[in-house]
Amino acid sequence: MPLSVFIDMTISACITVWSPGPNNILLLSTASKYGVKKNLRLMLGIWTGSLSLMFLSGIFCSALGTVIPGIQPIMKYIGAAYILYLAWQTYHRSPPSENSADKEPSYLMGLILQLLNVKIIIYGLTMFSSFILPHEQRIPVLILLAFYLMIIGAIGNLIWAFAGNVLKHFYNDHYKLMNIIMALLLVWCALRITGFL
């Protein structure tokens, strides 16, 4: 994989998984309510689910590319379209509500949330179809990249959990500006994927 593609993938991954979404909003809310220590089980569940989804995304995209040769360029545009959709959703996102988490966080809650998280499912499919498989086919490298994508998400989860009330108040006060910046960065990533930039 060329270094420029790896950098673009990393930027796109960070923007996607570090932006407000189900996992990060839940972690923000539960950390402000229960503290970071009680969120560790929840985060482990999220990370287990994330790694599982990255492996499944890689297998699915690779198998699809074998069964239907020539699908990867089409998947690249589908992935870019999804990133544009995420940009639109990010632009219109409201700040998190005060009552977004009522249950004490658990491993199972994090695992189920992640396995049903459409954002992360599409994220994995997009990363593999748009950035990884067009440039890399070796199984050990694909496994390392799946771990890498999960670690990027884990770092984002930790940032949101540790930010707690501080980030929550900042995001509530400045959510529109933050949404605009994240949406524009996602548009930039989509244009890079398709080769328009």
Side-chain angles (χ1 to χ4, degrees), residues 1-2 4-6 8-10 12-13 16 57-58 61-62 64 71-84 121-137 142 145 149 189-195:
M1 172 185 291
S4 62
V5 173
F6 181 78
D8 287 348
M9 178 189 74
T10 300
S12 181
T16 302
S57 296
C61 289
S62 181
L64 189 60
I71 192 73
Q72 287 176 356
I74 295 166
M75 295 285 289
K76 177 172 72 170
Y77 289 103
I78 292 170
Y82 178 70
I83 290 174
L84 289 174
I121 293 169
I122 302 297
Y123 159 73
L125 295 173
T126 300
M127 293 298 115
F128 275 93
S129 64
S130 300
F131 295 105
I132 298 171
L133 290 173
H135 304 282
E136 189 60 62
Q137 300 293 319
L142 295 176
L145 289 170
L149 292 173
C189 288
L191 293 174
R192 293 279 298 185
I193 288 171
T194 57

Side-chain angles (χ1 to χ4, degrees), residues 31-44:
S32 65
K33 188 171 183 178
Y34 298 107
V36 174
K37 188 175 180 181
K38 286 193 176 181
N39 267 294
L40 291 178
R41 292 180 307 234
L42 176 67
M43 285 188 277
L44 286 174

Side-chain angles (χ1 to χ4, degrees), residues 14-22 24-25 90 93 119 160 182 186:
C14 289
I15 292 167
T16 302
V17 296
W18 292 6
S19 66
N24 294 334
I25 297 300
T90 299
R93 186 173 289 129
K119 176 183 174 185
W160 280 82
M182 288 186 284
L186 285 169

